[in-house]
Amino acid sequence: MGRQITWVYTHDLDCSCHFYADVLGFEQIVDEGSARIFAVSDSASVGVCLAWGDRKVEPSGTCLTLVTDEVDAWYTYLNSASVELEGEPRELPQFGIYACFARDPAGYRVEFQQFLT
């Protein structure tokens, strides 16, 4: 395997793409009109696609995790950008992580996570 893409579906492509490109700062690397791909790292991407056919906007149970040593800085930035947040950053000792959680415009959960061990 050379790459990994996580797909999220939306009813408002421009709004969701604005979040990943302009708010999170991910570079758009593919634009197929109704589907766009954003680089998260050299080998991982987020794809944003308009819901169609059997593709549904179903954020329940989905969590896109972004690993960073800057959880507090991301929390402060996202809060100032009026991104929906799920409380303040916190340690989750059962997993050995420190994290905060946000929601993208389509309701998908986005975790900003730091490994503590």
Side-chain angles (χ1 to χ4, degrees), residues 30-110:
V30 174
D31 183 348
E32 293 295 335
S34 62
R36 300 176 194 162
I37 300 174
F38 300 88
V40 176
S41 71
D42 290 339
S43 62
S45 302
V46 174
V48 181
C49 186
L50 276 174
W52 60 278
D54 66 347
R55 303 322 198 263
K56 308 248 185 283
V57 179
E58 294 182 355
S60 178
T62 300
C63 183
L64 171 65
T65 298
L66 305 170
V67 179
T68 176
D69 289 335
E70 303 295 330
V71 172
D72 290 329
W74 273 105
Y75 173 81
T76 299
Y77 167 71
L78 295 168
N79 194 37
S80 72
S82 299
V83 171
E84 181 184 345
L85 295 164
E86 297 179 5
E88 295 183 359
R90 61 192 179 275
E91 187 173 333
L92 299 166
Q94 68 271 38
F95 302 116
I97 64 170
Y98 181 68
C100 72
F101 297 87
R103 294 282 175 171
D104 85 352
Y108 289 91
R109 193 176 205 200
V110 181

